[in-house]
PDB file of all heavy atoms in Angstrom:
ATOM      1  N   ILE A 108       0.108 -24.602  -6.842  1.00 94.00           N
ATOM      2  CA  ILE A 108      -1.161 -24.969  -6.036  1.00 94.00           C
ATOM      3  C   ILE A 108      -2.083 -25.809  -6.869  1.00 94.00           C
ATOM      4  O   ILE A 108      -2.479 -26.912  -6.458  1.00 94.00           O
ATOM      5  CB  ILE A 108      -1.820 -23.722  -5.497  1.00 94.00           C
ATOM      6  CG1 ILE A 108      -0.853 -23.020  -4.479  1.00 94.00           C
ATOM      7  CG2 ILE A 108      -3.131 -24.023  -4.877  1.00 94.00           C
ATOM      8  CD1 ILE A 108      -1.379 -21.692  -3.962  1.00 94.00           C
ATOM      9  N   PRO A 109      -2.511 -25.344  -8.102  1.00 94.00           N
ATOM     10  CA  PRO A 109      -3.383 -26.235  -8.893  1.00 94.00           C
ATOM     11  C   PRO A 109      -2.729 -27.487  -9.328  1.00 94.00           C
ATOM     12  O   PRO A 109      -3.374 -28.571  -9.503  1.00 94.00           O
ATOM     13  CB  PRO A 109      -3.822 -25.353 -10.082  1.00 94.00           C
ATOM     14  CG  PRO A 109      -2.746 -24.284 -10.186  1.00 94.00           C
ATOM     15  CD  PRO A 109      -2.347 -24.049  -8.747  1.00 94.00           C
ATOM     16  N   LEU A 110      -1.401 -27.453  -9.601  1.00 95.00           N
ATOM     17  CA  LEU A 110      -0.681 -28.709 -10.007  1.00 95.00           C
ATOM     18  C   LEU A 110      -0.709 -29.743  -8.892  1.00 95.00           C
ATOM     19  O   LEU A 110      -1.026 -30.899  -9.157  1.00 95.00           O
ATOM     20  CB  LEU A 110       0.710 -28.380 -10.431  1.00 95.00           C
ATOM     21  CG  LEU A 110       0.888 -27.634 -11.753  1.00 95.00           C
ATOM     22  CD1 LEU A 110       2.333 -27.232 -11.964  1.00 95.00           C
ATOM     23  CD2 LEU A 110       0.380 -28.459 -12.920  1.00 95.00           C
ATOM     24  N   LEU A 111      -0.376 -29.277  -7.649  1.00 94.00           N
ATOM     25  CA  LEU A 111      -0.413 -30.210  -6.525  1.00 94.00           C
ATOM     26  C   LEU A 111      -1.800 -30.726  -6.248  1.00 94.00           C
ATOM     27  O   LEU A 111      -1.998 -31.912  -5.927  1.00 94.00           O
ATOM     28  CB  LEU A 111       0.153 -29.537  -5.272  1.00 94.00           C
ATOM     29  CG  LEU A 111       1.677 -29.245  -5.283  1.00 94.00           C
ATOM     30  CD1 LEU A 111       2.034 -28.352  -4.097  1.00 94.00           C
ATOM     31  CD2 LEU A 111       2.473 -30.519  -5.275  1.00 94.00           C
ATOM     32  N   TRP A 112      -2.790 -29.839  -6.383  1.00 93.00           N
ATOM     33  CA  TRP A 112      -4.191 -30.267  -6.210  1.00 93.00           C
ATOM     34  C   TRP A 112      -4.575 -31.279  -7.184  1.00 93.00           C
ATOM     35  O   TRP A 112      -5.236 -32.299  -6.864  1.00 93.00           O
ATOM     36  CB  TRP A 112      -5.103 -29.015  -6.280  1.00 93.00           C
ATOM     37  CG  TRP A 112      -6.542 -29.354  -6.357  1.00 93.00           C
ATOM     38  CD1 TRP A 112      -7.330 -29.703  -5.305  1.00 93.00           C
ATOM     39  CD2 TRP A 112      -7.367 -29.291  -7.536  1.00 93.00           C
ATOM     40  NE1 TRP A 112      -8.609 -29.871  -5.733  1.00 93.00           N
ATOM     41  CE2 TRP A 112      -8.670 -29.667  -7.075  1.00 93.00           C
ATOM     42  CE3 TRP A 112      -7.118 -28.999  -8.855  1.00 93.00           C
ATOM     43  CZ2 TRP A 112      -9.748 -29.717  -7.983  1.00 93.00           C
ATOM     44  CZ3 TRP A 112      -8.214 -29.041  -9.764  1.00 93.00           C
ATOM     45  CH2 TRP A 112      -9.473 -29.398  -9.278  1.00 93.00           C
ATOM     46  N   ALA A 113      -4.150 -31.117  -8.449  1.00 92.00           N
ATOM     47  CA  ALA A 113      -4.513 -32.069  -9.521  1.00 92.00           C
ATOM     48  C   ALA A 113      -4.004 -33.461  -9.344  1.00 92.00           C
ATOM     49  O   ALA A 113      -4.598 -34.436  -9.677  1.00 92.00           O
ATOM     50  CB  ALA A 113      -4.049 -31.522 -10.886  1.00 92.00           C
ATOM     51  N   VAL A 114      -2.789 -33.562  -8.740  1.00 92.00           N
ATOM     52  CA  VAL A 114      -2.157 -34.869  -8.509  1.00 92.00           C
ATOM     53  C   VAL A 114      -2.423 -35.408  -7.077  1.00 92.00           C
ATOM     54  O   VAL A 114      -1.852 -36.433  -6.680  1.00 92.00           O
ATOM     55  CB  VAL A 114      -0.596 -34.860  -8.766  1.00 92.00           C
ATOM     56  CG1 VAL A 114      -0.417 -34.401 -10.227  1.00 92.00           C
ATOM     57  CG2 VAL A 114       0.045 -33.887  -7.829  1.00 92.00           C
ATOM     58  N   GLY A 115      -3.214 -34.665  -6.285  1.00 91.00           N
ATOM     59  CA  GLY A 115      -3.528 -35.137  -4.953  1.00 91.00           C
ATOM     60  C   GLY A 115      -2.444 -34.901  -3.922  1.00 91.00           C
ATOM     61  O   GLY A 115      -2.410 -35.523  -2.843  1.00 91.00           O
ATOM     62  N   GLY A 116      -1.505 -33.980  -4.218  1.00 91.00           N
ATOM     63  CA  GLY A 116      -0.435 -33.717  -3.317  1.00 91.00           C
ATOM     64  C   GLY A 116      -0.513 -32.448  -2.548  1.00 91.00           C
ATOM     65  O   GLY A 116       0.460 -32.028  -1.859  1.00 91.00           O
ATOM     66  N   LEU A 117      -1.647 -31.734  -2.622  1.00 91.00           N
ATOM     67  CA  LEU A 117      -1.818 -30.478  -1.885  1.00 91.00           C
ATOM     68  C   LEU A 117      -2.095 -30.728  -0.456  1.00 91.00           C
ATOM     69  O   LEU A 117      -2.918 -31.546  -0.079  1.00 91.00           O
ATOM     70  CB  LEU A 117      -2.928 -29.614  -2.572  1.00 91.00           C
ATOM     71  CG  LEU A 117      -3.050 -28.182  -2.022  1.00 91.00           C
ATOM     72  CD1 LEU A 117      -1.789 -27.396  -2.360  1.00 91.00           C
ATOM     73  CD2 LEU A 117      -4.270 -27.567  -2.680  1.00 91.00           C
ATOM     74  N   SER A 118      -1.389 -29.965   0.389  1.00 92.00           N
ATOM     75  CA  SER A 118      -1.551 -30.083   1.819  1.00 92.00           C
ATOM     76  C   SER A 118      -1.470 -28.704   2.490  1.00 92.00           C
ATOM     77  O   SER A 118      -1.017 -27.747   1.803  1.00 92.00           O
ATOM     78  CB  SER A 118      -0.519 -30.994   2.457  1.00 92.00           C
ATOM     79  OG  SER A 118       0.775 -30.379   2.345  1.00 92.00           O
ATOM     80  N   MET A 119      -1.926 -28.589   3.709  1.00 90.00           N
ATOM     81  CA  MET A 119      -1.794 -27.272   4.405  1.00 90.00           C
ATOM     82  C   MET A 119      -0.333 -26.886   4.549  1.00 90.00           C
ATOM     83  O   MET A 119       0.028 -25.723   4.468  1.00 90.00           O
ATOM     84  CB  MET A 119      -2.496 -27.302   5.746  1.00 90.00           C
ATOM     85  CG  MET A 119      -4.024 -27.233   5.739  1.00 90.00           C
ATOM     86  SD  MET A 119      -4.635 -25.800   4.753  1.00 90.00           S
ATOM     87  CE  MET A 119      -3.931 -24.485   5.661  1.00 90.00           C
ATOM     88  N   LEU A 120       0.521 -27.875   4.816  1.00 93.00           N
ATOM     89  CA  LEU A 120       1.939 -27.576   4.922  1.00 93.00           C
ATOM     90  C   LEU A 120       2.481 -26.943   3.636  1.00 93.00           C
ATOM     91  O   LEU A 120       3.265 -26.034   3.692  1.00 93.00           O
ATOM     92  CB  LEU A 120       2.763 -28.885   5.338  1.00 93.00           C
ATOM     93  CG  LEU A 120       4.214 -28.664   5.643  1.00 93.00           C
ATOM     94  CD1 LEU A 120       4.416 -27.749   6.809  1.00 93.00           C
ATOM     95  CD2 LEU A 120       4.850 -30.029   5.882  1.00 93.00           C
TER      96      LEU A 120
END
Side-chain angles (χ1 to χ4, degrees):
I108 295 175
L110 288 175
L111 289 172
W112 170 76
V114 300
L117 188 63
S118 66
M119 284 306 301
L120 185 61

